[in-house]
Structures are given as C-alpha cells and as structure tokens.
C-alpha cells in the first residue's frame, strides 16, 4: 500500500533518525505542556506548590498506565467515575 510506508524505507538512514528525533522531541514537549498546565491548575485550585502538582500529575499518569495494563474496562470505569464526580460537584 502506497499510504502505509516507513520512513526507513523512504529516506536515508540519517534522515530517518532525524525524523524520529523530531517526533520524540514533539512528544516530550506536548507531555511537558500537559504536566505544567496540570501543576498550575492544582496550584490555582488547591494552593499546591508547582512541584507537588507535577508529582500529582505523574501519579495520575502512572495510575492510568497501571489500569490500562490490567484491563481496558478498568480505565473506562475510572473515567465514568471521574465524570460522575464532576457531575456531582457541578450539582453541588
């Protein structure tokens, strides 16, 4: 299939490595933005220091990873629980 190709098949090895590094850097920057944004939100909402918000966000990520390793349905149930908490909080 022409649309399903690998960078290693289409480009030279050095170009493929550079494309891979660019992809990794973009993933890292997106993750950092999410962690920093969550830490700022925890600081605004609960008065936590930024380092504590980063650690709490890392704990959240590890919780999702562990739930995902167990079963996909656990992640779905966890999200339903979070949506229910938000709905109850909104009603209160």
């Amino acid at each position: 299939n022409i649309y399903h190709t690998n960078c290693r098949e289409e480009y030279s090895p050095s170009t493929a490595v550079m494309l891979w590094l660019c992809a990794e850097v973009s993933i890292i920057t997106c993750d950092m933005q999410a962690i920093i944004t969550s830490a700022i939100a925890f600081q605004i909402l609960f008065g936590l220091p930024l380092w504590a918000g980063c650690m709490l966000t890392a704990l959240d990520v590890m919780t999702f990873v562990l739930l995902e390793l167990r079963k996909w349905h656990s992640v779905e149930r966890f999200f339903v629980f979070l949506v229910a908490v938000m709905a109850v909080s909104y009603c209160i």
Side-chain angles (χ1 to χ4, degrees):
N1 187 354
I2 193 168
Y3 299 109
H4 185 70
T5 59
N6 246 339
C7 290
R8 287 180 286 163
E9 295 172 0
E10 295 292 322
Y11 300 106
S12 68
S14 60
T15 304
V17 168
M18 288 305 296
L19 288 171
W20 171 69
L21 288 174
C22 287
E24 289 294 330
V25 167
S26 66
I27 290 168
I28 290 169
T29 56
C30 287
D31 290 342
M32 285 179 61
Q33 178 267 334
I35 290 172
I36 292 170
T37 304
S38 296
I40 292 171
F42 284 128
Q43 184 180 36
I44 291 170
L45 290 173
F46 305 114
L48 292 176
L50 290 178
W51 67 267
C54 288
M55 297 307 280
L56 189 58
T57 303
L59 180 68
D60 291 343
V61 169
M62 293 310 295
T63 302
F64 290 134
V65 168
L66 290 174
L67 284 174
E68 198 170 282
L69 288 175
R70 229 177 128 212
K71 281 188 176 180
W72 180 249
H73 295 293
S74 337
V75 176
E76 290 174 350
R77 288 184 191 124
F78 187 67
F79 278 118
V80 167
F81 171 72
L82 291 177
V83 169
V85 168
M86 286 191 300
V88 169
S89 299
Y90 180 73
C91 290
I92 290 173

